[in-house]
Amino acid sequence: MNIIDELTWRGAINQMSDEVGLRKKVEEKSIGVYCGVDPTGDSLHIGHLIPFMMLKRFQMAGHRAHIIIGGGTGSIGDPSGRSSERVLQTMEQVHHNEEALTAQMKQLFGKDNITVLNNYEWLSKIDLLSFLRDYGKLFSINTMLNKEVVSSRLESGISFTEFTYQILQSIDFHHLLEEKDIELQIGGADQWGNITSGIDMIHKIEGSGTEAFALTIPLMLKADGTKFGKTAGGAVWLDAEKTTPYEFYQFWLNQDDRDVVKYLKYFTFLGKEEIASLADKVKNEPEKREAQRRLAEEVTAFVHGKDAVVQAQHISKALFSGDVKTLTAAEIEQGFKKMPTVEVSNEALNIIEWLVLSGIEKSKRQAREDVANGAIYINGERIQDANYIINPSKSFEGKFVIARRGKKKYFLAKIK
C-alpha cells in the first residue's frame, strides 16, 4: 500500500501541498522526511506523539526519517497554539531539554533509517545582517500577517521575536533540503502556515520547479469535543517519572468506545483486518473492552517496552482483585501514586493503634468496629483480630504498608 493511502485510511492527513506529486515521489524512491519539536520541556506528551507516529510510519515504509530537535527555534518560541508570549527559557534549560528529548526519540525510533538533528547547529551560525539580507528580503510582511499562526495573535499582541519564528522554520526546511535531500516536512495542523512558508522560500531560492512537500496531521479531538491528551491530572507524559507506565496504560485502557477505533488507527501499527475485527467487538461486545486493552498494550509497549505492559497488567489485576501482596515495592509506587497517602514509623504496633495513629480511622472505637466487621485489609489480607500486630519493616522491602477499608478505599502508608 502507498504510504499516502495508508495515512488516508488512518485518517491521519489534514492537508498536503501537492498530493499528486508526493504520491508519485514516495512510489519512485525512498525520500527524506522530517518532523520537528522544540525543547520547551524535558519530555514529550502524547499530544506531541501524533505527528511522530506518522514519521514512524514513513520510517517503517523504508523512507529516511529525520527528527529535528529545535535548540535554535526553541530558544525563540513558536507562537502557534498560544494566546500570549512564551517566557523565554535560559539556554542552559534549553540544552538540558534537548538532551532529554533526544534520548526519548532514540528510544522510540531505534537506529534504522532515522537521524536526529538539532537546528541550533545551523541557526546559531547566521549573523543578524545575513539573516536580514539573505532571508528577510524573501518574506512579505503582508503574507506573514495573514498566516493563521500570526493573525490569531494580533489582537493580544505578538513580539518581533515570535513573529520571525516562521522564517527560522523556513530556513530549517531549506537547509535540510540542501544538506540532507529532505523533501517532506510533517507537522500538526497548526504548522501548515510555517511549513508552506518554507516551501515558498525554497522556490524563491532554488527555483519554482524544486520539489518540496508539506503534510499536516488533523487536530485530534475526543468524541465529546474536548482536546485529546489532557486529563484531570494534566498532560500524559512519555517520561516514566512524570507519568508512570501503569498510569500511561490506564489512560489508554479507559478510552471511550466512540474514540478507541480512531486511536487504534493513529497510535498503533495494527493492520486493517485486526482493527476491523476490534471495531466489530466494540460494536457487538463493548463490555469486554477488548479494543481498549489492545490499544493500551500496543501504545505502552511502543513507548515503554513490553515488560512495562506486563507490569501494568499485573498492577491492574492486583488492584482489581485486592491481592496486593503479590506486588513489588516498585509496582506499588506506580499503582498507588494517586492513592491517599500517609506516613508512618517503622515501629511494630497493634492494628487498632496503628489505624488511628496513621489517620486511617478517626477513633479506636471505629477502628475496633471495622476490624470486627471484616472491613480492614492489611497488605491484601483481611484482619479481624484486634490484637494483630503490624510490623512495617516486614512488608514490601520495609517501604510500605497497604491498608484497605471496605471494598475499594485504599491507603498507602509510607515508612518514614
Side-chain angles (χ1 to χ4, degrees):
M1 183 190 298
N2 184 302
I3 183 66
I4 303 302
D5 289 329
E6 181 183 355
L7 294 181
T8 301
W9 168 72
R10 290 183 183 275
I13 296 178
N14 184 53
Q15 289 176 285
M16 282 185 285
S17 59
D18 176 6
E19 180 176 352
V20 174
L22 184 56
R23 280 180 176 276
K24 182 180 178 182
K25 181 66 67 173
V26 296
E27 288 175 351
E28 288 177 348
K29 66 172 188 175
S30 169
I31 68 165
V33 53
Y34 88 93
C35 185
V37 62
D38 283 341
T40 53
D42 59 4
S43 174
L44 300 176
H45 56 66
I46 56 173
H48 292 129
L49 193 57
I50 300 170
F52 285 100
M53 293 299 293
M54 304 312 134
L55 183 65
K56 181 73 175 179
R57 296 187 199 284
F58 273 94
Q59 179 196 31
M60 293 172 67
H63 299 285
R64 295 176 288 108
H66 296 73
I67 295 168
I68 307 304
I69 304 296
T73 43
S75 66
I76 297 302
D78 183 355
S80 64
R82 298 182 63 84
S83 58
S84 61
E85 289 283 314
R86 292 181 184 272
V87 176
L88 294 179
Q89 300 182 98
T90 65
M91 290 309 296
E92 181 181 14
Q93 184 63 50
V94 171
H95 291 322
H96 166 75
N97 294 344
E98 289 169 13
E99 292 175 358
L101 294 187
T102 299
Q104 276 192 342
M105 289 300 185
K106 288 182 177 178
Q107 179 180 335
L108 291 175
F109 282 83
K111 298 178 180 179
D112 296 332
N113 292 336
I114 187 71
T115 303
V116 180
L117 300 168
N118 187 332
N119 66 14
Y120 184 83
E121 294 174 14
W122 54 88
L123 292 179
S124 63
K125 295 175 182 176
I126 303 173
D127 62 73
L128 176 60
L129 292 180
S130 297
F131 174 78
L132 294 173
R133 288 178 62 85
D134 298 342
Y135 302 106
K137 271 291 186 180
L138 303 175
F139 286 80
S140 162
I141 291 294
N142 293 350
T143 302
M144 292 176 73
L145 287 173
N146 286 327
K147 297 286 186 181
E148 196 277 332
V149 67
V150 173
S151 63
S152 64
R153 286 281 300 278
L154 292 180
E155 187 173 334
S156 61
I158 183 171
S159 70
F160 179 73
T161 299
E162 292 196 6
F163 182 66
T164 61
Y165 186 94
Q166 61 183 281
I167 301 179
L168 297 182
Q169 188 167 333
S170 298
I171 294 171
D172 284 349
F173 202 171
H174 178 251
H175 173 86
L176 293 167
L177 176 67
E178 196 172 42
E179 299 295 325
K180 303 288 183 180
D181 191 28
I182 297 173
E183 298 167 293
L184 170 63
Q185 182 181 171
I186 294 176
D190 61 346
Q191 292 298 310
W192 178 254
N194 288 341
I195 299 174
T196 53
S197 289
I199 293 175
D200 291 341
M201 191 189 84
I202 287 169
H203 288 162
K204 288 175 182 177
I205 296 174
E206 304 294 342
S208 59
T210 303
E211 291 184 306
F213 305 94
L215 187 155
T216 59
I217 313 304
L219 174 66
M220 184 170 287
L221 298 175
K222 296 189 288 187
D224 62 9
T226 59
K227 192 172 181 180
F228 167 80
K230 297 289 185 180
T231 67
V236 180
W237 301 96
L238 305 195
D239 186 334
E241 295 297 319
K242 295 177 182 290
T243 299
T244 68
Y246 167 74
E247 291 174 306
F248 191 83
Y249 179 88
Q250 287 294 318
F251 170 81
W252 298 103
L253 189 64
N254 291 321
Q255 292 305 314
D256 193 303
D257 287 344
R258 296 171 295 174
D259 292 318
V260 65
V261 175
K262 176 171 67 176
Y263 296 163
L264 283 166
K265 290 181 178 181
Y266 260 82
F267 293 103
T268 78
F269 302 101
L270 301 179
K272 275 189 173 183
E273 289 185 7
E274 186 167 359
I275 291 178
S277 174
L278 290 167
D280 285 341
K281 290 176 180 178
V282 171
K283 183 178 179 180
N284 300 314
E285 301 175 301
E287 70 284 356
K288 292 185 177 180
R289 299 187 68 77
E290 191 167 334
Q292 282 88 343
R293 185 165 54 254
R294 196 78 175 91
L295 175 68
E297 290 171 351
E298 289 293 310
V299 187
T300 305
F302 175 62
V303 174
H304 295 293
K306 293 182 179 179
D307 288 347
V309 175
V310 174
Q311 189 176 58
Q313 291 174 332
H314 182 215
I315 296 170
S316 301
K317 184 178 179 180
L319 291 177
F320 181 78
S321 67
D323 188 20
V324 296
K325 62 179 177 294
T326 64
L327 297 175
T328 65
E331 290 171 335
I332 288 169
E333 286 190 281
Q334 285 196 54
F336 285 79
K337 185 178 177 182
K338 294 184 179 178
M339 299 285 188
T341 303
V342 298
E343 286 193 343
V344 298
S345 72
N346 63 358
E347 181 183 1
L349 292 172
N350 170 274
I351 187 172
I352 305 300
E353 188 175 0
W354 186 88
L355 288 169
V356 175
L357 286 175
S358 65
I360 294 172
E361 295 282 16
K362 294 181 179 180
S363 67
K364 289 186 177 180
R365 181 193 64 78
Q366 187 63 54
R368 289 192 188 94
E369 184 177 316
D370 285 344
V371 169
N373 291 336
I376 298 298
Y377 295 76
I378 300 297
N379 298 334
E381 294 186 10
R382 176 182 280 175
I383 307 298
Q384 291 183 275
D385 180 4
N387 295 315
Y388 180 84
I389 300 298
I390 295 178
N391 188 345
S393 65
K394 292 187 176 181
S395 63
F396 304 116
E397 301 173 28
K399 294 180 179 180
F400 308 106
V401 174
I402 297 176
R404 189 178 110 206
R405 188 177 65 220
K407 291 184 177 181
K408 295 183 178 179
K409 189 66 175 178
Y410 280 100
F411 299 86
L412 178 64
K414 290 186 176 182
I415 313 305
K416 295 179 184 177

